[in-house]
Amino acid sequence: MLGLRGPETKFVSLPAHGSRTVSLNSGLYKYAATAKNTNTISGYKSFGRNSRYTWNFNVN
């Protein structure tokens, strides 16, 4: 599972040892990603103003 909170809130299914790409508006996001038999990753990511971004998550 991938959770994002910021200007947008999203929850995305994330398979073990898989990846997902999400599209986001600019701003500061708090994220956490975990899948069965993997380590949880979390943190903050900032995207510059007035743009839309794609972000690829990989969980190993």
Side-chain angles (χ1 to χ4, degrees), residues 2-8 10 27-32 42-45 55 57:
L2 166 64
L4 296 159
R5 288 190 187 250
E8 298 178 64
K10 293 188 177 196
L28 177 64
Y29 288 87
K30 181 177 181 179
Y31 67 89
S42 64
Y44 292 87
K45 178 78 172 173
W55 192 6
F57 279 87

Side-chain angles (χ1 to χ4, degrees), residues 9-56:
T9 298
K10 293 188 177 196
F11 295 94
V12 179
S13 175
L14 187 61
H17 307 290
S19 66
R20 289 287 186 261
T21 300
V22 293
S23 293
L24 300 166
N25 289 320
S26 58
L28 177 64
Y29 288 87
K30 181 177 181 179
Y31 67 89
T34 189
K36 187 176 181 178
N37 298 322
T38 64
N39 294 325
T40 298
I41 58 171
S42 64
Y44 292 87
K45 178 78 172 173
S46 181
F47 295 102
R49 296 179 188 209
N50 302 322
S51 293
R52 186 125 177 108
Y53 295 87
T54 56
W55 192 6
N56 187 48

